[in-house]
């Protein structure tokens, strides 16, 4: 067999006559010494020079690989072929057995001849009750070599680590939720916000008790994300040379901007149309006026953001503006996602607290029953997708295990965060029932009392 040298000096692989190897990969002197030892071993065992050089590779796989390797070498020993093995390459579980079988050959020390070493290894392997085999079996449980005591220690370590992680997470989450609940309590002191407090507190009941912080992601979406998206739309007219564009250094006919001006004018007209009798056909109730006002303010913010994105844009101001707006929009989407997750967890936490302390009684039992029923439903729905039984009816869809694990991790994180949010609300309300007993409203909605 010949091996390409790619310009390197090729040397004869003295471990196998006729083979060529790179000196960088297999040093010549190492090969010569190895060949000498193999020749001495073959001569001592009565093997001729024509016998091939045999190597055995033992793969990894933990205790299963070690057990399989033991069986292979026991068979070689019984059939008298163990002496033909010149090389042994191992990894992982195969290495566990490789170290064992290597020890069998050197038990007699340096004074032992190759024949004596082979005889010792063959006797130990062929006798399934030999002391080395018994030792190998007794110590094969390398994860828990001393038995049940190691399992108890491992369980204690896992519990300790879990408790330490929960302590760190709990202190962090509790601090965040306590700070935010304290901020909310401080804000609600102002008389001007009493009407807002009442609307937010009852808007989502009796389905769940929504957090007052729902205003935060709503505000971010309405007054940053939407204007940023609209401002990005305004840059589209500057991508190419429109047929009707006025080609100049400072002016381009911007049709999206003209459309925005038209929308602003219509919104301003609609907002001011309420007292005008001749415009009776324009919606003028409070909701419509609020919508007109939002469109008007949002359009002004869009124009301001668009102008800021063009500052110092150079000759390619449209491309620079699109790049800036994309970065700003990404940052706002991240902030929106964080505040939305916090708001949902805070809502779940105060809902759980309200149900537990509800005057209707049985809040804890009802909540436990509801969560248990939900978990059973989820398990029944998704268990079939985890089945490895190919004889069952083929599923319409197959969910990868990684996705299921990711979803399970998210659910567990939400449960932990909800628990600490509920603790924060318990501290805020001092264990008392919140005004209006929202927990009773929720329980009555999902589990109405029997009609008398």
């Amino acid at each position: 067999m010949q091996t390409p040298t790619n310009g390197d000096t090729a040397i004869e692989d003295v471990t196998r006559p006729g083979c060529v190897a790179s000196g960088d990969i297999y040093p010549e002197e190492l090969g010569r010494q190895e060949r000498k030892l193999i020749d001495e071993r073959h001569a001592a065992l009565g093997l001729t020079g024509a016998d091939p050089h045999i190597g055995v590779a033992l793969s990894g796989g933990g205790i299963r690989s070690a057990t399989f390797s033991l069986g292979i070498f026991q068979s070689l020993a019984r059939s008298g072929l163990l002496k033909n093995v010149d090389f042994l390459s191992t990894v992982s579980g195969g290495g566990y057995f490789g170290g064992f079988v290597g020890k069998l050959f050197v038990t007699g020390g340096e004074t032992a001849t190759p024949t004596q070493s082979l005889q010792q290894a063959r006797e130990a392997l062929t006798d399934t009750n030999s002391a080395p085999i018994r030792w190998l079996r007794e110590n094969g449980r390398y994860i828990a070599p001393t038995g049940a005591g190691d399992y108890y220690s491992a369980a204690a370590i896992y519990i300790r680590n879990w408790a330490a992680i929960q302590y760190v997470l709990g202190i962090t989450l509790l601090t965040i939720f306590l700070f935010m609940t304290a901020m909310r309590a401080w804000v609600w002191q102002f008389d001007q916000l009493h009407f807002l407090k009442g609307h937010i507190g009852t808007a989502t009941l009796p389905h769940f008790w929504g957090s007052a912080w729902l205003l935060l992601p709503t505000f971010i979406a309405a007054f940053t994300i939407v204007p940023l998206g609209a401002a990005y739309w305004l840059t589209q007219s500057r991508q190419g040379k429109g047929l009707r564009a006025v080609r100049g250094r400072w002016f381009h006919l911007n049709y999206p901007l003209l459309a925005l001006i038209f929308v602003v004018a219509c919104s301003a007209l609609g907002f001011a149309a309420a007292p005008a009798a001749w415009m009776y056909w324009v919606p003028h109730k409070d909701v419509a006026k609020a919508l007109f006002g939002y469109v008007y303010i949002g359009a002004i913010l869009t124009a301001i953001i668009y102008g800021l994105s063009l500052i110092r844009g150079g000759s390619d101001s449209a491309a620079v503006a699109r790049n800036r707006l994309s970065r700003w929009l990404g940052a706002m989407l991240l902030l929106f996602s964080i505040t939305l997750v916090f708001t949902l967890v805070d809502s779940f936490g105060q809902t759980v607290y309200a149900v537990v302390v509800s005057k209707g009684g049985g809040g804890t039992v009802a909540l436990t029953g509801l969560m248990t029923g939900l978990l059973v439903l989820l398990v029944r729905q998704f268990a079939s997708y985890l089945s490895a039984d190919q004889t069952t009816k083929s599923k319409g869809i197959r969910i990868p295990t990684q996705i299921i694990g990711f979803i399970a991790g998210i659910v567990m994180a939400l449960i932990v965060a909800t628990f600490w949010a509920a603790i924060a609300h318990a501290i805020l309300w001092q264990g008392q029932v919140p005004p209006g007993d929202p927990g009773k409203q929720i329980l009555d909605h999902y589990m109405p009392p029997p009609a008398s």
Side-chain angles (χ1 to χ4, degrees), residues 72 321 375 432 445:
I72 292 294
L375 288 174
Q432 302 299 315
H445 174 72

Side-chain angles (χ1 to χ4, degrees), residues 70-350:
L70 172 62
I72 292 294
F73 271 76
Q74 284 180 317
S75 297
L76 291 175
R78 293 191 185 101
S79 59
L81 297 176
L82 187 61
K83 64 181 180 179
N84 296 92
V85 178
D86 298 308
F87 300 95
L88 191 62
S89 176
T90 66
V91 64
S92 191
Y96 177 72
F97 174 77
F100 165 79
V101 76
K103 177 66 174 176
L104 295 179
F105 279 90
V106 299
T107 302
E110 296 182 357
T111 58
T113 64
T115 303
Q116 293 172 335
S117 298
L118 175 65
Q119 183 64 25
Q120 292 171 352
R122 185 164 49 197
E123 290 177 356
L125 290 171
T126 54
D127 183 4
T128 57
N129 232 1
S130 65
I133 295 295
R134 287 200 309 270
W135 183 93
L136 181 67
R137 288 172 177 164
E138 292 172 357
N139 292 272
R141 302 175 300 177
Y142 48 84
I143 296 178
T146 62
D150 287 331
Y151 289 112
Y152 292 139
S153 297
I157 292 173
Y158 285 132
I159 293 174
R160 180 200 64 190
N161 294 343
W162 179 86
I165 292 173
Q166 295 306 314
Y167 173 79
V168 174
L169 290 177
I171 292 297
T172 304
L173 293 174
L174 187 60
T175 301
I176 294 173
F177 285 116
L178 283 176
F179 174 78
M180 297 304 288
T181 51
M183 285 290 296
R184 183 176 65 178
W186 176 75
V187 169
W188 288 152
Q189 293 182 91
F190 299 97
D191 295 336
Q192 297 86 343
L193 299 177
H194 276 312
F195 76 98
L196 193 59
K197 177 181 178 181
H199 286 330
I200 295 176
T202 59
T204 57
L205 290 173
H207 303 286
F208 71 100
W209 190 18
S211 170
W213 292 113
L214 282 170
L215 287 175
L216 196 54
T218 303
F219 179 86
I220 294 174
F223 294 103
T224 62
I225 293 178
V226 173
L228 281 168
Y232 189 90
W233 174 60
L234 295 180
T235 66
Q236 302 308 302
S237 66
R238 300 172 65 90
Q239 291 189 46
K241 299 179 180 179
L243 294 177
R244 298 183 181 180
V246 178
R247 298 178 181 177
R249 183 175 181 182
W250 300 106
F251 178 73
H252 289 267
L253 192 59
N254 194 325
Y255 291 107
L257 183 59
L258 293 178
L260 181 67
I261 294 173
F262 177 75
V263 170
V264 172
C266 292
S267 300
L269 184 62
F271 187 78
W278 62 277
M279 297 185 67
Y280 62 90
W281 46 273
V282 177
H284 56 271
K285 292 186 177 180
D286 291 342
V287 176
K289 292 182 66 175
L291 181 60
F292 288 140
Y294 167 70
V295 173
Y296 183 75
I297 296 174
I300 293 176
L301 289 174
T302 299
I304 294 174
I305 292 173
Y306 176 63
L308 292 174
S309 67
L310 293 174
I311 294 177
R312 302 178 66 180
S315 59
D316 197 6
S317 58
V320 173
R322 283 191 290 272
N323 186 273
R324 289 173 177 172
L325 290 170
S326 297
R327 294 200 309 268
W328 296 346
L329 183 59
M332 288 300 103
L333 285 173
L334 177 61
L335 182 60
F336 170 78
S337 301
I338 293 174
T339 55
L340 180 62
V341 170
F342 170 79
T343 301
L344 291 176
V345 171
D346 191 54
S347 299
F348 295 152
Q350 70 177 14

